[in-house]
Amino acid sequence: MIVRFCIDPIEQGQYDYRVTNEGENLYDDSGLDSIEACIVAATEGLGQDAIGAEVAYKGIISGTYALASLALASAQIAQHALQTTEAIEEASQ
């Protein structure tokens, strides 16, 4: 199964995430200090059925990643999610 990590800012320097599968909430957490921390926590909570995840920041999907990539490149994936969302928001103004 490929799940979705839905990451959102909740206040200055604080983020929450939800892990969903086909729109159903599997688990979530809030109060993490970075997008990367959300990706790491979400990845750690995945069960054996998950093979990868779509990463969405502020509702914008930046990519689909294999489990190994999520674990090894969480900082780069977080940066990519932020840059993708900023580019989309800028283009839509």
Side-chain angles (χ1 to χ4, degrees):
M1 119 177 99
I2 297 176
V3 297
R4 180 175 292 170
F5 296 172
C6 304
I7 303 168
D8 291 294
I10 52 176
E11 60 183 61
Q12 186 67 29
Q14 297 286 299
Y15 300 84
D16 68 9
Y17 74 87
R18 292 176 320 285
V19 177
T20 64
N21 182 39
E22 297 182 9
E24 180 182 331
N25 193 42
L26 301 177
Y27 57 94
D28 55 40
D29 198 3
S30 63
L32 287 88
D33 63 0
S34 68
I35 297 169
E36 181 183 5
C38 290
I39 292 170
V40 169
T43 301
E44 289 175 351
L46 290 176
Q48 298 292 333
D49 294 339
I51 59 171
E54 295 176 336
V55 175
Y57 178 60
K58 294 171 65 175
I60 298 171
I61 297 171
S62 59
T64 304
Y65 304 93
L67 224 43
S69 296
L70 290 164
L72 295 174
S74 57
Q76 293 88 344
I77 292 169
Q79 185 64 32
H80 184 255
L82 178 63
Q83 290 172 341
T84 299
T85 298
E86 287 175 344
I88 296 292
E89 288 177 341
E90 187 175 306
S92 64
Q93 291 181 4

